[in-house]
Amino acid sequence: MSTTIVYRPADGTELARVEDTPIERLDEIFATAREAQAKWAKTPTAVRAGLMLDASRALAAARDELGQVDSDNSGKSTRDALREAERCSAALVYYGGWADKAYGATVPIASEVFTYTVREPYGVVVGITPWNVGLRLSAKKAAQAIAFGNACILKPAPETPLPTLKLVEIMESAGIPAGLVQVVTGGGAQGAALVEHPGTDLISFTGSTVVGKQIAATAGHNLRPVVLELGGKSPQVVFADADLEAAADSVLNGVFRFAGQMCVAGSRVFVEDSIYDRFNDMLAERTAAVVVGDPADPAVHVGPQVSAVQRDKTLAAIAQAQADGARIVAQAALPTDPRLAGGYYTPPTIFADAGPDSSLVTNEVFGPVFSVARFADEAEAVSLANGTRYGLAAGIWTSDGARAHRMVRDVKAGVVWVNSYLLLSDQLSFGGDGDSGLNREGGDEAFHTYTKAKAVSYALTKWPITLSS
Ligand code: NAD
């Protein structure tokens, strides 16, 4: 049996050892899920909603413990990890509220027949999550699945299994039936085996574009529905008429938060010509004041990256950008505390003069690094914003309402923030276009993604359609 060592990103020390789920156990795990799902689907919907509310209360009560586990394992600041824990509870409230409201429609076709649609659960949903926001995404995927009568098998990233294991333990202790939400631990081998398993009825994957495409290929071959939330290289566009102080604060938060390990990181910043130098100075001044260090320290803005591997990837991206001729506009200092010497820290860095086709501008770094470039007018801003194969999120900063709406219309993204960035809610749809994903989750999109329609025709008179009619 293989074991994964889980590290504490803040100082690189060992946090736990977690046994990987043997692939041979998957048949049994799917059988358990199928059995639990059959009972759950027959449970009155209001009872299901009530149990999900109970689970949300238990998660709220366990917020500090859950947040601490997440902060220790993911390296998020305690403040951010506590918010993530609160959002788990909120997800159970929101999707629990859908449990008894997920119905089809009557469809009037002819007076001789009663026609309607029923929304049915798929059955067993496989939810695979990445390490950056693994806790919240596990809660979201599980809540979306079970709200609509499915079972869920979660597969957290091998770097961060602990928050998901704790989440499911709390949900079960609050009354979510055993076996309805299970956790498979391990890495790509376990993930791929889950995707390929014939017991899989729907795949909900959040992670990299490379793995997403592999999953889509398997899902296509096996004719399984799939929702993919993948990478991004999102633009933040700042026009000269924007509130520049607010924009500068938000732009930094939109890419340095979680040490840049956000799929929606706004890592391509485009600034209108007339304010370009001034805005760069504002960003540089703020970056110089960014404190990198121990995520448990409330004075710290940016914590470590999740792993030594991710830190090294970010450092390599910084070196590559320099080799490609980009210029460092500002860079925050690394922590000097010897206790953190083994931690996975990278310096928040802003680049200018990066070529539009350079690796820095076209590839996701997943670290606290971004490029700034100038634009002359709205048309150029749109063209630059849409200049990658991704289409996840976009930020627009302007005080001109009509222009804001034109930009919203023209940018290629599943999520757009105007004069803001990073508002995420279970009440809103989430997903991306192009290499950023396929289909949507969240809000009422969850209802469509996690249920399937059955069309029913019930004859009210002797049925007239025969071979001879
Ligand atoms: P990853 O794709 O390497 O891994 C994600 C998950 O997939 C992990 O649980 C991993 O074990 C599993 N996995 C790996 N290979 C697999 C395979 N062949 N089949 C099935 N599962 C497999 O991604 P990561 O490095 O953990 O996370 C970072 C990536 O996630 C970034 O690209 C980021 O943009 C993306 N992300 C996207 C969103 C979004 O909602 N769009 C949110 C968070 C992160």
Side-chain angles (χ1 to χ4, degrees), residues 296-322:
D297 179 348
V300 160
H301 302 112
V302 176
Q305 300 229 242
V306 76
S307 63
V309 170
Q310 190 56 39
R311 175 199 56 199
D312 294 346
K313 279 187 188 169
T314 301
L315 294 177
I318 292 174
Q320 184 64 50
Q322 287 177 289

Side-chain angles (χ1 to χ4, degrees), residues 127-134 137 140-141 155-160 186-196 205-212 214-215 218 228-232 261-264 306 310 313 364 366 390 392 430-432 436-437 441:
I128 301 176
T129 54
W131 40 257
N132 61 332
V133 275
L137 290 176
K140 180 176 177 178
K141 289 186 193 303
K155 214 296 286 166
E159 294 85 352
T160 55
Q190 279 76 6
L194 284 166
V195 169
E196 279 161 18
F205 172 78
T206 303
S208 62
T209 301
V210 171
V211 173
Q214 290 167 11
I215 289 175
T218 306
L228 301 173
E229 309 286 5
L230 309 177
Q261 302 164 120
M262 298 180 289
C263 52
V264 292
V306 76
Q310 190 56 39
K313 279 187 188 169
E364 188 179 40
F366 231 56
Y390 295 109
L392 188 55
F430 189 82
S436 291
E441 296 189 282

Side-chain angles (χ1 to χ4, degrees), residues 313-381:
K313 279 187 188 169
T314 301
L315 294 177
I318 292 174
Q320 184 64 50
Q322 287 177 289
D324 290 344
R327 173 173 57 88
I328 292 183
V329 171
Q331 192 165 51
L334 286 174
T336 51
D337 183 341
R339 284 182 312 114
L340 306 179
Y344 312 134
Y345 299 93
T346 49
T349 306
I350 307 179
F351 280 101
D353 306 333
D357 300 324
S358 65
S359 175
L360 178 69
V361 175
T362 52
N363 294 320
E364 188 179 40
V365 174
F366 231 56
V369 180
F370 67 95
S371 62
V372 190
R374 58 175 83 228
F375 65 86
D377 56 21
E378 203 176 303
E380 191 184 10

Side-chain angles (χ1 to χ4, degrees), residues 18 66 138 156 160-170 183-185:
V18 176
L66 192 56
S138 288
T160 55
L162 306 181
T164 295
L165 288 164
K166 178 53 78 182
L167 170 88
V168 174
E169 181 192 311
I170 296 168
V183 183
V184 164
T185 50

Side-chain angles (χ1 to χ4, degrees), residues 215-226:
I215 289 175
T218 306
H221 184 263
N222 294 345
L223 295 182
R224 290 295 187 275
V226 64

